[in-house]
Amino acid sequence: CFANSIAEDSVEVTGSADVQTDCMSASGTVQVSATLTLTECVAPYEHADVVPDPYADVPVPTATGCTAGPRNNPRETIAMRPGCFTSLDLKGTVSLDPGVYVLTGDLTINAGATVSGTGVTIYFEGTGSARFNGGATIQLNAPTTGAYAGMLLFGDRNAGGVEHRINGNSTSFFNGAIYARDSDISMLGGGRSVGGCTQVVARTITFSGNSQVGMDCTGWPVEDIRTSRLITLVE
């Protein structure tokens, strides 16, 4: 867990939160009034150097030939191919073929839907955003090779003020990077990632309720988040 904010509340662990992570580092300070368990560090590291964007070199997909998404009902099972869509409102059972899906609007996964895909990257152009509703089963894996290896959800780098709301049920997982550098990501109660690897990079990140993400990225081609620490000699 790394925060580039220099604020006094760069990272907050409050209320009834019960947070477990390997280490916690902030350019500002860390405020803890709930349960925080660090498995590899003794204490949070404060006033750390700013972490560079690990995905700055990933190319932006091209949005061309965009069409309206399919209108399936909750009792249907459909398969989708990669392409550009003005929006997607998914119900029922949907399988996503491998490839890049470009959204110029919102992606909504409704409660009760089952959406799965392997080798999938979803790019949100402009103010397009994710709305993954509670009660949906969402099982998505990023590509393991190619230009978008490790990239699962990719938000427009210039889309300030956009919020992506990620929810699901106890069998949902998101293996890969959820990247929205200038936007906000909310991982909501009930949205869990059972095992696997979920890496989140955003302007702000909010975990609420019993949301969980998998932290074991062994074998997954997500980028390393590199940090450095200033060591000062005191006589």
Side-chain angles (χ1 to χ4, degrees):
C1 176
F2 307 92
N4 281 343
S5 169
I6 61 173
E8 291 299 313
D9 55 354
S10 181
V11 178
E12 288 186 289
V13 182
T14 63
S16 58
D18 186 349
V19 177
Q20 177 175 313
T21 185
D22 51 1
C23 292
M24 184 172 287
S25 176
S27 297
T29 62
V30 178
Q31 305 293 328
V32 179
S33 59
T35 302
L36 173 63
T37 303
L38 302 179
T39 59
E40 296 183 13
C41 294
V42 175
Y45 185 76
E46 299 180 321
H47 306 295
D49 292 342
V50 170
V51 178
D53 180 354
Y55 293 98
D57 296 332
V58 176
V60 174
T62 302
T64 58
C66 304
T67 62
R71 296 183 176 273
N72 66 313
N73 66 55
R75 294 176 296 279
E76 283 186 302
T77 299
I78 64 170
M80 288 190 61
R81 293 182 178 179
C84 182
F85 303 91
T86 54
S87 65
L88 289 175
D89 186 14
L90 302 182
K91 309 176 182 70
T93 301
V94 181
S95 62
L96 303 179
D97 288 347
V100 178
Y101 295 76
V102 177
L103 273 294
T104 60
D106 295 339
L107 166 60
T108 301
I109 300 179
N110 292 275
T114 297
V115 178
S116 61
T118 295
V120 168
T121 297
I122 302 173
Y123 176 71
F124 298 91
E125 182 181 75
T127 58
S129 64
R131 293 288 184 272
F132 296 174
N133 294 323
T137 300
I138 308 164
Q139 300 180 342
L140 296 175
N141 296 294
T144 56
T145 60
Y148 299 102
M151 182 69 79
L152 182 59
L153 303 184
F154 185 174
D156 193 313
R157 292 189 178 100
N158 300 312
V162 172
E163 181 189 23
H164 300 275
R165 298 174 66 85
I166 311 295
N167 210 329
N169 63 23
S170 61
T171 60
S172 295
F173 57 77
F174 310 94
N175 285 323
I178 299 175
Y179 171 74
R181 186 180 67 186
D182 286 341
S183 301
D184 306 317
I185 293 177
S186 295
M187 306 290 288
L188 304 175
R192 302 185 179 187
S193 177
V194 287
C197 165
T198 306
Q199 186 186 73
V200 185
V201 178
R203 187 178 72 93
T204 68
I205 305 169
T206 302
F207 294 95
S208 64
N210 61 346
S211 56
Q212 300 177 15
V213 296
M215 296 186 298
D216 183 4
C217 289
T218 304
W220 283 95
V222 295
E223 295 293 333
D224 291 333
I225 298 179
R226 295 181 291 276
T227 61
S228 60
R229 299 182 179 182
L230 177 64
I231 299 175
T232 303
L233 298 178
V234 179
E235 294 184 356

